[in-house]
Amino acid sequence: MGELGEFGLIALVNQGRTQTRSVLLGPGDDAAVIAAPEGRFVVTTDMLVQDRHFRTDWSSPHDIGRKAIAQNAADVVAMGAVPSAFVVGLGCPAETPVEFVRALADGMWAEAGRAGASIAGGDMVRSPMLIISVTAFGDPRRAPIKLSRSRAGDVVAVAGRLGWSGAGLAVLSAGADADEFADLVAAHQVPQPPYEAVLELPDTAEITALTDVSDGLLADLGHIAESSGVAIDLDSAALADPELEAAGKALGVNPLDWILGGGEDHAFAATFADSGDLPEGWVRVGRVLAGSGVTVDGTHRTGLGGWESFA
Amino acid sequence: MGELGEFGLIALVNQGRTQTRSVLLGPGDDAAVIAAPEGRFVVTTDMLVQDRHFRTDWSSPHDIGRKAIAQNAADVVAMGAVPSAFVVGLGCPAETPVEFVRALADGMWAEAGRAGASIAGGDMVRSPMLIISVTAFGDPRRAPIKLSRSRAGDVVAVAGRLGWSGAGLAVLSAGADADEFADLVAAHQVPQPPYEAVLELPDTAEITALTDVSDGLLADLGHIAESSGVAIDLDSAALADPELEAAGKALGVNPLDWILGGGEDHAFAATFADSGDLPEGWVRVGRVLAGSGVTVDGTHRTGLGGWESFA
């Protein structure tokens, strides 16, 4: 990669790409220019560090690129905003194969496209290991859906898979047969946030709080409970997922642990006013009560603190 | 730092901060919300890697924080935009002292304030060395000033110091007496982009191209020349800086090499239509010609390629 140099690499990763309409000025100047038709934009950023957030022996560069974009797009969507663009800082060793960088960029563009957006610019630097820093933008076409508006009496619901990424990570970590649990491993390699469950919410949906599940369901619902000043009780029967049973048996893990504590699925968790049917894609898994904290079947669970960056 | 944990650290670096009015929703939710009153925003991102872009034995954490923000703010201003907010991804080893992180954040906030903005959010993760990824936003209150509108006959001008950062780096690298050249070392530790020279340009100023000097004057003017399809000739007498003479003598370096090839000063370089006096803060240093490439006193200089990330 050293041979191509920074400007050659920038040309390489941008070759043949088509920006979406939100990108008014793309790579090549001191800064990019992004449309913000609502007069404001949402922004979120995540840093991924090799061997901490991904491993190149467990994930292809294409998968790593998709994951980096997906987890940021999920945060944008978790505000009720529509992804408009991404910028990417990439640090990598000089000896990184050019093909690796190209596949990483391809994965990023693929997931950006899934989210309806493109990659408007970035920075490439040399570093001792791979570092990926993604910043994502979105148009808040409705009032931002915050963590803090949940009320006692609301319904707790989730959209998307829970525990699959955690189960896939457990399979890889245990050196178990990755082929036998290929779907779970794939879910760990590339999360599939169900963007449409939020972006296609009908205007009539009385959603009161929303987050993406990145640190684990208990931890992320804990943020809603704390911000809103409420308690949340989950129904374990509603959360159970038969697809996790076989892996649980093989590894001696209660699948509910993955569902409640595993992060990185980037499903969405929300609370809705209790006014009948939930919107499409959402499953009822609990209720909001007066008080504080998150319980399961009325009981506090311990030992499932969720992801902690400096643990 | 491991003791505080991610959420404790986030609380620590945000403690006592006051967001500017552009930040409609700050840290604490899935994403921040930033005002974009012009219906669009400019964005730029830079990644800084320990021992590649800064050294903790040469710069204080406060200096490192200021530099990380300054170089991004300079890119925003180099589009003719007014900085509105920053987000910061920070990777650091678990054993990093909490005081280091606090001083780094203080430096970031200090420089963000100098640029008229605040830090709206970020991400903190564990990494083997310090990694700082800053993304900066700005309001384009005028049409973005691109690299591509320079025309033969224009005047080339600079605002701010050139070569000081390069000279300061040379002093540190050579192990020369840092106290004797304290101003140069300080310029390397903390660039001081003259934001006001751009932000207070009168409406009548016919600026045709603008960039910040991050890679070296020849390299950065080369981007203007290439984007605009013009040649640029610099006047070495107009560039000479008596403040660099003593360090040049002590280290056996022609100070013009620092001025032409040293990056990281984050001065601004621009071309203006030749219509009389330059705006305040700008010094004429050359002219735009038909052709291609950048010359000094009519001659091509070699060996001053500028900063190259993968060299």
Side-chain angles (χ1 to χ4, degrees):
Chain A
M1 209 169 88
E3 291 169 30
L4 264 181
E6 179 183 1
F7 294 101
L9 272 175
I10 290 172
L12 177 91
V13 297
N14 286 307
Q15 197 176 19
R17 313 291 184 189
T18 305
Q19 297 288 348
T20 55
R21 283 198 308 170
S22 290
V23 179
L24 305 177
L25 182 68
D29 218 301
D30 294 294
V33 184
I34 313 293
E38 308 299 326
R40 59 188 175 168
F41 61 98
V42 306
V43 55
T44 181
T45 190
D46 271 336
M47 186 180 281
L48 288 81
V49 177
Q50 183 172 3
D51 294 333
R52 174 105 185 123
H53 302 99
F54 60 86
R55 285 175 54 158
T56 56
D57 54 339
W58 284 356
S59 298
S60 72
H62 195 278
D63 287 346
I64 295 165
R66 279 194 65 185
K67 179 176 171 173
I69 293 295
Q71 71 183 61
N72 279 278
D75 274 327
V76 163
V77 170
M79 296 301 286
V82 182
S84 57
F86 301 86
V87 295
V88 177
L90 177 64
C92 47
E95 64 272 19
T96 308
V98 166
E99 278 315 310
F100 185 99
V101 176
R102 193 200 303 264
L104 190 68
D106 284 349
M108 289 181 177
W109 276 87
E111 188 66 23
R114 234 192 116 234
S118 58
I119 299 173
D123 188 27
M124 298 184 86
V125 302
R126 200 163 85 183
S127 65
M129 81 281 310
L130 281 165
I131 310 278
I132 304 170
S133 179
V134 175
T135 305
F137 311 106
D139 289 328
R141 300 207 183 143
R142 55 192 295 164
I145 307 171
K146 302 203 277 190
L147 299 170
S148 55
R149 303 279 169 78
S150 194
R151 295 160 305 184
D154 285 356
V155 171
V156 179
V158 297
R161 305 180 304 202
L162 289 171
W164 286 49
S165 178
L169 176 61
V171 167
L172 289 168
S173 300
D177 184 353
D179 290 338
E180 189 183 343
F181 303 110
D183 288 352
L184 303 180
V185 169
H188 177 69
Q189 288 161 331
V190 181
Q192 301 210 9
Y195 305 124
E196 67 289 348
V198 175
L199 297 181
E200 294 172 12
L201 273 176
D203 291 341
T204 52
E206 293 182 64
I207 187 166
T208 53
L210 174 62
T211 189
D212 82 311
V213 181
S214 52
D215 296 334
L217 184 64
L218 285 188
D220 289 307
L221 285 177
H223 300 153
I224 288 182
E226 191 180 348
S227 293
S228 295
V230 297
I232 285 175
D233 186 50
L234 294 170
D235 172 3
S236 64
L239 286 165
D241 184 342
E243 304 275 349
L244 299 175
E245 295 296 331
K249 258 180 208 153
L251 298 175
V253 173
N254 179 350
L256 191 61
D257 290 357
W258 290 323
I259 292 170
L260 295 172
E264 298 195 286
D265 280 302
H266 301 285
F268 295 105
T271 60
F272 291 87
D274 190 5
S275 53
D277 290 345
L278 286 168
E280 197 178 325
W282 292 88
V283 176
R284 180 177 184 135
V285 297
R287 58 201 177 121
V288 180
L289 306 168
S292 65
V294 181
T295 50
V296 182
D297 303 331
T299 305
H300 282 282
R301 301 211 17 145
T302 52
L304 293 170
W307 175 260
E308 163 54 64
S309 282
F310 292 95
Chain B
M1 205 170 89
E3 293 170 29
L4 264 180
E6 180 182 1
F7 293 101
L9 271 174
I10 290 172
L12 178 90
V13 297
N14 286 308
Q15 197 175 20
R17 314 290 184 189
T18 305
Q19 297 287 348
T20 54
R21 284 197 307 172
S22 291
V23 179
L24 305 177
L25 182 67
D29 218 301
D30 294 294
V33 184
I34 314 293
E38 308 299 325
R40 57 189 176 167
F41 62 97
V42 307
V43 55
T44 181
T45 191
D46 270 337
M47 185 179 281
L48 287 81
V49 178
Q50 183 172 3
D51 294 333
R52 175 105 184 123
H53 301 100
F54 61 86
R55 284 174 53 158
T56 55
D57 54 340
W58 285 357
S59 298
S60 72
H62 195 278
D63 288 346
I64 295 166
R66 279 194 64 185
K67 180 176 171 172
I69 294 294
Q71 70 182 62
N72 279 278
D75 274 327
V76 163
V77 170
M79 295 303 284
V82 182
S84 57
F86 301 86
V87 295
V88 177
L90 177 63
C92 47
E95 64 272 20
T96 308
V98 166
E99 278 315 309
F100 186 99
V101 176
R102 194 200 303 262
L104 188 70
D106 284 348
M108 289 181 178
W109 277 87
E111 188 66 22
R114 236 194 114 233
S118 58
I119 299 173
D123 188 27
M124 298 183 87
V125 301
R126 201 163 85 183
S127 65
M129 81 283 308
L130 280 165
I131 310 277
I132 304 170
S133 179
V134 176
T135 305
F137 312 107
D139 289 328
R141 299 208 183 144
R142 54 193 295 164
I145 307 171
K146 303 203 276 189
L147 299 169
S148 57
R149 302 278 168 80
S150 193
R151 296 159 306 184
D154 285 355
V155 171
V156 179
V158 297
R161 305 179 306 201
L162 288 171
W164 285 50
S165 178
L169 176 60
V171 167
L172 289 167
S173 300
D177 183 353
D179 290 337
E180 190 183 340
F181 304 110
D183 289 352
L184 303 179
V185 169
H188 176 69
Q189 288 161 331
V190 182
Q192 301 210 7
Y195 305 124
E196 66 289 351
V198 175
L199 297 181
E200 295 171 12
L201 274 176
D203 291 341
T204 53
E206 294 182 63
I207 188 166
T208 52
L210 174 63
T211 189
D212 82 312
V213 182
S214 52
D215 295 335
L217 184 64
L218 285 188
D220 289 308
L221 285 177
H223 300 154
I224 288 182
E226 191 180 348
S227 293
S228 295
V230 297
I232 285 174
D233 185 48
L234 294 169
D235 173 1
S236 64
L239 286 166
D241 184 342
E243 305 274 349
L244 298 176
E245 295 295 332
K249 258 179 206 152
L251 298 176
V253 173
N254 179 351
L256 191 60
D257 290 357
W258 289 323
I259 291 168
L260 295 172
E264 297 197 285
D265 280 301
H266 301 286
F268 295 105
T271 61
F272 291 88
D274 189 4
S275 54
D277 291 345
L278 286 169
E280 197 179 325
W282 291 89
V283 176
R284 179 178 184 133
V285 297
R287 58 203 176 118
V288 180
L289 306 168
S292 65
V294 182
T295 51
V296 182
D297 303 330
T299 305
H300 281 281
R301 300 209 19 144
T302 52
L304 293 171
W307 175 262
E308 162 54 64
S309 283
F310 292 94

